[in-house]
Amino acid sequence: MASPDKDLVPLLDKDGVRLTVDDAIATVTLTNPAKRNAQSPALWRALTEAGRQLPGSVRVVVLRAEGKSFSAGLDRQAFTPEGFDGEPSFIDLARGSDAELDAAIAEYQEAFTWWRRSDIVSVAAVQGHAIGAGFQLALACDLRVVADDVQFAMRETSLGLVPDLTGTHPLVGLVGYARALEICVTGRFVTAEEAVNTGLANVAVPADQLDDTVRDLASAVLAAPRDAVVETKALLRGAQDRTYEDQRSAERQAQARRLRDLAGIGD
């Protein structure tokens, strides 16, 4: 894919991750197409840093990837005895204490959590393969626009592992328990058509229209007042954990804040 952010000065550009900001839109790009944007602890730290460097003016964050694949998942070098240069291998981590292993995985997960912040709307533009950690990174975003050649797959179980990069919660929320279980334990591919039909993706378009479609979606999000978008996102994200009556109450409280704000009346 072409890089729509190539003419912008990056705020961050390292370890396979580039962050650029154009007014209210930030773009996080995976930049290692030669390895199909395979992921590593260094890449996860860079993604976490990108989230921390977002200026307060940013309202929409677009996640995209260079090349034919969004991300082929975890770099298999992690499972070799030598691992990555300067990094403990996963074998070394497994030999550590429960607390050390838990802390390491929690650190990796941070790269996948900030996309859900209420003050931004995150959009993943996904083409080609999005496997394992790549699938979970796409799931970390609020919205997914996919190319018609997309192939999602959760391959962790076939490797004797479980999906642990925060992808299980949104997957179940989007497609339901039974389908999520089947997708994870079989490791099969989910195509663009199925992704849209099950709610996993918002829309599928030809690959050459992916960037333009995401740009149009970002513009539509920006057309609404920021505070209303923030309140609405928080309201919807909390809905699945509330009872119907609790959600009614949350709606009333959120609307009261909006009305007072529009009327210029403080709390």
Side-chain angles (χ1 to χ4, degrees), residues 15 37-45 73-75 78 84 87 108:
D15 297 321
N37 298 304
Q39 299 182 30
S40 66
L43 180 142
W44 294 333
R45 285 193 293 271
L74 180 64
D75 191 324
F84 303 101
E87 301 273 359
Y108 300 156

Side-chain angles (χ1 to χ4, degrees), residues 16-204:
V17 175
R18 181 173 64 242
L19 167 65
T20 58
V21 175
D22 185 5
D23 195 17
I25 301 176
T27 302
V28 177
T29 305
L30 306 183
T31 61
N32 192 3
K35 295 195 73 172
R36 295 197 300 161
N37 298 304
Q39 299 182 30
S40 66
L43 180 142
W44 294 333
R45 285 193 293 271
L47 284 174
T48 300
E49 186 176 344
R52 291 171 179 163
Q53 288 198 23
L54 287 182
S57 60
V58 168
R59 294 183 54 192
V60 176
V61 181
V62 174
L63 171 63
R64 59 181 305 281
E66 294 180 347
K68 295 181 178 180
S69 293
F70 178 76
S71 174
L74 180 64
D75 191 324
R76 296 298 180 88
Q77 189 174 334
F79 295 105
T80 62
E82 62 272 14
F84 303 101
D85 289 342
E87 301 273 359
S89 71
F90 281 17
I91 296 172
D92 292 332
L93 288 175
R95 293 192 180 108
S97 68
D98 288 348
E100 291 169 335
L101 186 54
D102 185 79
I105 297 173
E107 180 186 2
Y108 300 156
Q109 289 176 328
E110 290 180 11
F112 297 76
T113 58
W114 62 265
W115 308 88
R116 299 177 176 88
R117 284 168 28 184
S118 292
D119 62 320
I120 59 172
V121 173
S122 53
V123 184
V126 190
Q127 79 280 4
H129 289 97
I131 310 296
F135 191 3
Q136 294 186 78
L137 187 56
L139 285 166
C141 292
D142 297 311
L143 309 173
R144 277 153 297 283
V145 177
V146 302
D148 53 14
D149 68 346
V150 77
Q151 295 187 74
F152 291 110
M154 203 73 83
R155 292 291 173 81
E156 286 82 354
T157 308
S158 63
L159 298 173
L161 302 170
V162 300
D164 67 332
L165 297 171
T166 78
T168 57
H169 189 275
L171 182 61
V172 171
L174 289 165
V175 305
Y177 161 75
R179 190 179 295 268
L181 176 63
E182 179 254 330
I183 288 171
C184 289
V185 300
T186 66
R188 70 173 177 83
F189 286 117
V190 177
T191 64
E193 181 180 9
E194 181 181 354
V196 173
N197 288 341
T198 59
L200 184 58
N202 293 81
V203 64

Side-chain angles (χ1 to χ4, degrees), residues 201-267:
N202 293 81
V203 64
V205 296
D208 61 359
Q209 297 177 23
L210 187 59
D211 285 329
D212 287 342
T213 302
V214 170
R215 191 176 299 109
D216 290 344
L217 177 57
S219 297
V221 172
L222 294 176
R226 178 170 194 159
D227 288 344
V229 173
V230 170
E231 289 273 15
T232 300
K233 179 176 177 178
L235 191 62
L236 294 174
R237 283 200 57 80
Q240 61 187 328
D241 298 320
R242 300 188 188 103
T243 66
Y244 178 74
E245 290 302 323
D246 287 343
Q247 185 68 5
R248 286 182 62 203
S249 176
E251 289 176 359
R252 294 194 300 271
Q253 293 171 36
Q255 192 71 304
R257 287 191 294 271
R258 297 305 314 128
L259 288 170
R260 290 193 180 103
D261 183 66
L262 291 173
I265 302 171
D267 291 335

